[in-house]
Amino acid sequence: MSENPFELKEELFSSKTNTPSIKFCLYTVEDTVKELRTDINQGLGNSQDVLNRRSIHGVNELSNDEEESIVWKFIATFYEDPLILLLIGSAVISFWMGNVDDAISITLAIVIVVTVGFVQEYRSEKSLEALNKLVPAEAKLTRNGNTSHVLASTLVPGDLVHFVQGDRIPADIRLTDAVYLSIDESNLTGENEPVRKKVDPVIKTGNETPSITVRSSIAYMGTLVRDGHGSGIVVATGAKTEFGAVFEMMLEIEKPKTPLQQAMDKLGKDLSMFSFVVIGIICFIGVVQGRSWLDMFQISVSLAVAAIPEGLPIIVTVTLALGVLRMARRKAIVRRLPSVETLGSVNVICSDKTGTLTKNQMSVTKVWTSDYEGSFNSPFLIVEKLDDTNLHKEMTTNMRRTLEAGNICNNARYSHESDKFVGNASDIALVDCLQHFGLEDVRPTMERVYELPFSSKRKYMAVCVHQGDLNKAETVAKGATERVLELCSRYYDSDGLIKPITTEFKNLVHERSIMLANDGLRVLGFARHGSKIGPSDNEEKPTTYPNDLIFAGMVGMKDPPRPNVAKSIQLLMQGGVHVVMITGDSPTTAVHIAKQIGMPVVGPDSVMTGDQLDSLSEDLLSDAIHNVSVFARTTPEHKVTIVKALQRRGDIVAMTGDGVNDAPALKLADIGIAMGKNGTDVAKEAADMVLTDDDFSTILSAIEEGKGIFYNIQNFVTFQLSTSIAALTLIALATFFGLPNPLNAMQILWINILMDGPPAQSLGVEPVDHEVMKKPPRKRNDKILTEAVIKRVLQSAAMIIMGTIYIFIREMNDGEVTARDTTMTFTCFVFYDMFNALGCRHYTKSIFELGLTNQMFNFAVLGSLIGQFCAIYVPFFQSIFQTEALTLGDLVRLLFLTSSVFIADEVRKYILRRKNSMSYGTNYGYGV
């Protein structure tokens, strides 16, 4: 199936000639505002009007209304499984031959088995549906003059929305403002080249309807902003958008199974083939021995239902999905199930500094200009140590110019709803510090002529503004000090006069910049005046880039490390995970932060800059990267280089990112991790995991959950296989030696419910053992069924078989099988199953260490035991299962015998722990 749904539904677009986007792309901005009764600056102002519009146009979501009835889904499960059809056939034959009790019993068993399986599958589907709602689309909305982040589903036609580089367009929008705006429409049109957008209406030629690719004044729902920023009026929501036309086709795309699910499918098929062969032999020998062919048929089909682990892939899906939902509660949203498997293998984490390792709460702490004399111990104005009165007194002419430059070259917006500025953390810090110096935000008094947005390549941002007279427009720039200095030919000296830049002044700026960076501060340089910049005729580039500017000064900003990062890094390092910091800051700033959070920075080999990355070949970089803990002065493009170099060495890499340009690296990494708060929609789309709190410590929690899920799956596979092998072998041995069958069809089906039902599922949600973080990352190709796991399965199965056969033969002392004999054997097997499940909760830890922490397991086992007691004590169930009441002494004897499988596993765990304590560091006691 094509990845571009537009190619499949092209006729839909050609046939739809009255969509809102076609209509409004021809309208001017003024006509659009008038038609939709809104305001170009304030947005919609009446809450009742918003509700009325939503009642007319609906919620801004694309949903599948044709959901299949749950009743029909349940009915379908009866005829979709061939084994269930065989059981139904068996019940019909029994009824036809006059065995009404057998027919009723088998029918009841079919209903129970199908219901348990259906509940499992339905739970799996609902868990997966829940995952799709973990990362809801958001929009930046202005209503009644207040700007805030809202769910995109709340938008209505007429709303005023804003978007920046990396955002996903939340609805079909008629643009009212477009600054250097380019939008990637490939998911809608198939064209990979970003489309340049503008505010001017499309000129219609003749009677032809403007095609979707030429509506340059429209931003389509679901497309991605690749460059610049803009604003616009919502003209269509939900199914009325252009994307709504292809949504139906997208619903038909079936999601591929995860590698683990595929492995479980293969394991299930292999075991099924083996089971069918064994069951066929059992049935053949039984008939040859003269047993009733109907009895052997019923036993064989029941045995097939019990022995074939058809529920294995479903339980894996449920376990993965529930694990992902648990991660979401710990602020890590996994967008793709295969990522859960990869998490346990990650051995290198490449992390952004700002916002991930640090709080992303910038505050201006130091200011430097050439006219500030400083004190005897510092050439900087230390903002955080002075109150507002003193700051006002200390401010010099050049400081005012610097702070004003930071104010003008700024995109932070004030939100009345949250009563604070929102936007980039650096921009917010620059605006917030103005009040402490007695300055006001001057942007409302100015009009922007043009903006050159910040980019990782340029490392600076510039705007051209004027206060009413275009001839007096000036350019203001901010960015990395060395890049801003390159744009300058002059500077403001100690007297506030303009002087030509000298080598001596450049050296002084460089020296002061290093001093600020050594304190772990982000350093920004500011300049103003010089030539004007603006759009040229083709609007692709500014007429001139900033030049001949006047250097004003520098600001140092503090972004403190997150409180739990140091501990998280220490735990990751203990578990064999190498943590790497990647930042655009200077090496000195990066090293200062790295040491604060406990990263190993020893010698020059631990730090590498972007320039060094560019100078090394791929092979040399792979060799040199081994000891590097900090990459400084890097661009997002360098992240791709770093990931490739690490993967070439065989590392499993997790990479964090938040920007548009981070998307290639996030996609390339084994685990791409996007930031939920400050991350762009492009980054979230490319990532496998989203951190809703942007906190590095959350990655630790996610890896811990990922490892725990893998071992939980290993544990319930151990439980299922040991029970399945025991049931098959038990019937096979009885048949081969000419003994009566120790379990009847109904009893085997009940064992299947225990094996595939709540007890098995509860093992998949065992609380994560924190000790998993001390275990090194597992290899990507590690199998579920390792040699150690197989030995454990065979040990448990052997004990269940021997104990159950012992009870069966001991009870059958008169050579005839009575209801008591099968009841004792049946109950013995079920008790063995429960003790086996208890032992399977952990590979090495004793149940006495774990305690009763898994509530689902406690209730599952309790429910299973109650069900068993009903089967042997309630008359109705006695007739179905062909059982009779046992004495208290019988139950005590069975409990003593069946606990042997649990005791043997506890002894195995004790021996393994002793062995591992003598060779600590090899495998930490896990079954791998």
Side-chain angles (χ1 to χ4, degrees):
M1 185 163 186
S2 170
E3 291 183 0
N4 177 20
F6 178 72
E7 293 173 0
L8 297 172
K9 281 284 186 178
E10 195 167 352
E11 70 277 4
L12 285 175
F13 290 110
S14 60
S15 64
K16 291 176 72 174
T17 57
N18 59 347
T19 60
S21 71
I22 293 175
K23 174 183 176 182
F24 286 100
C25 76
L26 305 171
Y27 279 25
T28 63
V29 173
E30 292 75 16
D31 289 340
T32 301
V33 170
K34 184 178 179 181
E35 173 86 10
L36 293 172
R37 303 189 309 280
T38 185
D39 188 279
I40 194 171
N41 296 312
Q42 302 291 314
L44 295 175
N46 188 312
S47 57
Q48 186 59 48
D49 181 28
V50 171
L51 292 175
N52 291 339
R53 294 179 189 228
R54 187 171 297 124
S55 66
I56 295 170
H57 299 281
V59 178
N60 183 30
E61 287 181 342
L62 297 173
S63 58
N64 182 17
D65 296 328
E66 299 178 4
E67 190 170 340
E68 190 179 351
S69 166
I70 188 172
V71 176
W72 283 113
K73 279 185 178 181
F74 179 66
I75 293 171
T77 55
F78 283 92
Y79 59 80
E80 286 179 346
D81 188 342
L83 292 175
I84 297 299
L85 287 176
L86 284 174
L87 276 176
I88 293 172
S90 174
V92 171
I93 292 170
S94 296
F95 184 81
W96 179 59
M97 295 183 69
N99 299 332
V100 179
D101 289 346
D102 285 351
I104 293 173
S105 300
I106 293 171
T107 303
L108 186 61
I110 291 169
V111 172
I112 295 172
V113 169
V114 168
T115 302
V116 169
F118 176 76
V119 168
Q120 284 178 305
E121 193 158 356
Y122 183 73
R123 188 181 180 192
S124 170
E125 290 176 3
K126 288 301 175 184
S127 298
L128 292 174
E129 284 178 19
L131 300 187
N132 296 328
K133 298 177 181 178
L134 290 177
V135 191
E138 293 187 339
K140 196 173 184 180
L141 168 70
T142 295
R143 278 184 188 157
N144 200 22
N146 294 323
T147 302
S148 60
H149 285 277
V150 300
L151 292 178
S153 59
T154 63
L155 296 181
V156 296
D159 269 329
L160 173 63
V161 295
H162 315 278
F163 32 86
V164 297
Q165 186 185 46
D167 284 351
R168 183 173 290 282
I169 302 298
D172 279 5
I173 291 167
R174 173 58 173 94
L175 297 172
T176 59
D177 184 31
V179 178
Y180 224 74
L181 184 63
S182 294
I183 296 181
D184 179 358
E185 297 177 349
S186 57
N187 60 348
L188 190 62
T189 66
E191 299 294 333
N192 291 322
E193 192 67 27
V195 179
R196 185 68 179 216
K197 294 293 183 178
K198 54 187 179 182
V199 175
D200 300 332
V202 174
I203 305 300
K204 188 175 181 180
T205 56
N207 293 322
E208 289 187 9
T209 300
S211 70
I212 196 170
T213 56
V214 300
R215 299 172 205 164
S216 57
S217 59
I218 298 291
Y220 300 109
M221 179 185 192
T223 57
L224 295 164
V225 180
R226 285 293 179 187
D227 199 6
H229 60 84
S231 301
I233 303 294
V234 173
V235 296
T237 58
K240 294 179 182 178
T241 62
E242 297 294 349
F243 201 78
V246 296
F247 179 70
E248 187 178 335
M249 290 299 293
M250 294 177 67
L251 291 175
E252 297 175 11
I253 301 173
E254 188 175 346
K255 291 183 181 179
K257 291 186 176 182
T258 73
L260 187 58
Q261 286 173 302
Q262 291 171 351
M264 288 296 99
D265 283 343
K266 186 178 184 306
L267 175 63
K269 288 175 183 176
D270 292 344
L271 290 172
S272 298
M273 290 300 295
F274 175 76
S275 300
F276 270 126
V277 171
V278 173
I279 292 165
I281 294 171
I282 291 172
C283 185
F284 176 76
I285 293 175
V287 173
V288 169
Q289 289 175 343
R291 305 188 189 197
S292 166
W293 69 268
L294 181 58
D295 287 344
M296 291 310 301
F297 177 75
Q298 288 177 350
I299 287 288
S300 298
V301 174
S302 301
L303 204 55
V305 172
I308 295 170
E310 73 283 345
L312 207 56
I314 297 174
I315 295 179
V316 169
T317 304
V318 172
T319 302
L320 289 173
L322 292 179
V324 169
L325 292 172
R326 279 202 309 273
M327 288 186 195
R329 287 195 289 270
R330 299 177 75 173
K331 310 296 185 184
I333 296 175
V334 177
R335 300 182 66 250
R336 299 177 179 91
L337 280 184
S339 307
V340 179
E341 305 156 38
T342 311
L343 275 169
S345 302
V346 169
N347 66 330
V348 177
I349 297 176
C350 298
S351 176
D352 270 335
K353 176 183 76 69
T354 305
T356 310
L357 297 173
T358 59
K359 292 182 177 180
N360 198 28
Q361 294 175 358
M362 294 283 185
S363 58
V364 174
T365 57
K366 294 184 179 181
V367 182
W368 179 85
T369 55
S370 59
D371 62 347
Y372 181 69
E373 296 179 359
S375 59
F376 69 94
N377 60 351
S378 174
F380 308 106
L381 174 63
I382 304 176
V383 177
E384 60 186 345
K385 290 189 177 180
L386 298 175
D387 58 28
D388 291 1
T389 304
N390 288 322
L391 285 174
H392 185 72
K393 292 177 180 177
E394 293 282 342
M395 184 174 61
T396 64
T397 302
N398 291 349
M399 277 186 188
R400 177 186 287 273
R401 288 168 173 160
T402 300
L403 294 170
E404 282 181 353
N407 176 206
I408 296 168
C409 197
N410 197 305
N411 284 326
R413 287 173 174 265
Y414 187 75
S415 170
H416 292 280
E417 187 175 355
S418 55
D419 196 27
K420 63 180 181 180
F421 283 95
V422 294
N424 179 275
S426 297
D427 284 351
I428 294 171
L430 290 169
V431 179
D432 282 343
C433 79
L434 293 175
Q435 58 183 325
H436 301 296
F437 287 89
L439 301 176
E440 294 184 358
D441 187 351
V442 297
R443 288 178 296 170
T445 66
M446 295 187 170
E447 184 177 339
R448 280 194 185 184
V449 178
Y450 192 77
E451 175 185 336
L452 188 62
F454 177 86
S455 79
S456 55
K457 288 185 178 180
R458 284 191 294 269
K459 290 189 172 66
Y460 71 86
M461 167 191 178
V463 296
C464 185
V465 298
H466 66 83
Q467 289 183 305
D469 187 351
L470 186 59
N471 295 321
K472 294 182 179 180
E474 68 168 339
T475 295
V476 182
K478 73 170 183 190
T481 304
E482 61 269 26
R483 293 308 309 273
V484 171
L485 203 56
E486 290 172 6
L487 306 175
C488 300
S489 60
R490 297 167 291 169
Y491 73 99
Y492 293 108
D493 71 357
S494 57
D495 296 320
L497 302 175
I498 300 172
K499 295 287 181 67
I501 284 183
T502 61
T503 303
E504 182 182 359
F505 179 76
K506 284 185 177 181
N507 291 337
L508 177 63
V509 171
H510 183 62
E511 178 188 326
R512 296 290 184 257
S513 178
I514 291 176
M515 290 176 68
L516 289 170
N518 281 334
D519 289 336
L521 304 181
R522 168 175 285 184
V523 186
L524 292 179
F526 299 87
R528 52 195 305 177
H529 288 296
S531 60
K532 301 171 189 174
I533 56 173
S536 60
D537 293 336
N538 62 15
E539 294 191 4
E540 289 299 321
K541 296 180 180 179
T543 307
T544 56
Y545 280 95
N547 62 75
D548 195 30
L549 300 183
I550 306 168
F551 190 82
M554 290 184 295
V555 164
M557 299 181 183
K558 180 173 69 174
D559 184 14
R562 289 183 179 271
N564 297 321
V565 165
K567 182 181 178 182
S568 299
I569 289 176
Q570 184 182 8
L571 289 172
L572 286 166
M573 287 166 55
Q574 286 177 3
V577 180
H578 180 44
V579 181
V580 175
M581 177 197 291
I582 302 177
T583 178
D585 288 340
S586 67
T588 45
T589 302
V591 169
H592 183 90
I593 296 293
K595 288 180 176 178
Q596 275 188 288
I597 58 179
M599 291 181 66
V601 184
V602 184
D605 291 344
S606 298
V607 184
M608 187 176 286
T609 64
D611 292 338
Q612 289 174 300
L613 281 169
D614 294 331
S615 65
L616 294 174
S617 66
E618 291 184 353
D619 292 332
L620 287 174
L621 180 58
S622 292
D623 295 333
I625 210 170
H626 178 69
N627 295 317
V628 178
S629 294
V630 175
F631 290 94
R633 282 290 184 245
T634 58
T635 64
E637 288 77 11
H638 285 135
K639 287 189 175 184
V640 174
T641 306
I642 294 167
V643 171
K644 285 182 178 177
L646 290 168
Q647 289 177 331
R648 198 176 295 113
R649 295 173 60 238
D651 293 322
I652 308 299
V653 185
M655 168 68 74
T656 70
D658 56 9
V660 176
N661 293 329
D662 292 331
L666 292 174
K667 209 159 192 175
L668 178 64
D670 299 279
I671 292 286
I673 304 172
M675 303 299 108
K677 285 184 178 179
N678 297 309
T680 59
D681 289 334
V682 176
K684 293 174 189 176
E685 191 75 15
D688 304 289
M689 189 165 77
V690 178
L691 306 183
T692 59
D693 56 358
D694 293 7
D695 191 344
F696 180 85
S697 305
T698 307
I699 300 176
L700 177 75
S701 302
I703 291 178
E704 185 178 77
E705 283 283 357
K707 284 185 174 183
I709 287 170
F710 179 84
Y711 293 116
N712 283 348
I713 290 173
Q714 213 170 37
N715 288 334
F716 76 63
V717 167
T718 302
F719 168 69
Q720 279 207 316
L721 291 187
S722 56
T723 304
S724 181
I725 290 171
L728 261 180
T729 308
L730 193 64
I731 302 297
L733 289 175
T735 306
F736 290 151
F737 289 107
L739 299 172
N741 284 323
L743 300 170
N744 60 42
M746 285 301 302
Q747 292 166 354
I748 292 172
L749 289 174
W750 171 246
I751 290 169
N752 172 64
I753 292 169
L754 297 183
M755 188 176 69
D756 277 346
Q761 284 195 25
S762 64
L763 291 173
V765 294
E766 184 72 28
V768 175
D769 178 11
H770 299 300
E771 293 293 314
V772 295
M773 290 310 297
K774 293 182 180 178
K775 182 191 178 303
R778 62 182 179 82
K779 294 178 182 176
R780 189 198 293 270
N781 56 357
D782 276 353
K783 297 179 179 177
I784 293 283
L785 284 180
T786 62
E787 183 180 343
V789 171
I790 292 172
K791 286 180 179 177
R792 187 185 183 194
V793 167
L794 294 178
Q795 173 187 306
S796 298
M799 296 202 68
I800 295 171
I801 293 163
M802 288 188 294
T804 309
I805 286 182
Y806 165 73
I807 287 292
F808 180 58
I809 293 175
R810 182 176 178 277
E811 291 295 323
M812 195 184 60
N813 50 22
D814 55 359
E816 291 186 9
V817 179
T818 63
R820 172 182 166 77
D821 300 342
T822 56
T823 303
M824 285 289 286
T825 309
F826 176 38
T827 307
C828 177
F829 196 99
V830 170
F831 281 5
Y832 262 127
D833 226 20
M834 295 300 99
F835 276 116
N836 186 31
L838 190 64
C840 286
R841 282 184 59 195
H842 201 280
Y843 187 77
T844 56
K845 278 193 174 181
S846 167
I847 186 65
F848 303 107
E849 289 181 73
L850 296 174
L852 302 176
T853 53
N854 188 344
Q855 293 299 325
M856 183 176 172
F857 179 85
N858 300 336
F859 287 120
V861 171
L862 182 63
S864 299
L865 290 175
I866 291 172
Q868 182 63 23
F869 290 142
C870 287
I872 59 180
Y873 291 114
V874 177
F876 173 74
F877 292 110
Q878 283 178 337
S879 63
I880 292 175
F881 289 98
Q882 298 173 20
T883 57
E884 66 177 43
L886 299 178
T887 65
L888 180 60
D890 291 333
L891 294 178
V892 171
R893 282 198 301 274
L894 288 177
L895 285 172
F896 271 114
L897 175 65
T898 55
S899 64
S900 60
V901 70
F902 169 71
I903 294 169
D905 199 56
E906 286 289 301
V907 171
R908 180 196 60 79
K909 292 176 182 178
Y910 175 75
I911 294 171
L912 192 58
R913 287 197 301 271
R914 286 290 301 272
K915 180 182 175 182
N916 289 329
S917 65
M918 291 185 286
S919 57
Y920 190 79
T922 40
N923 66 2
Y924 293 87
Y926 288 86
V928 294

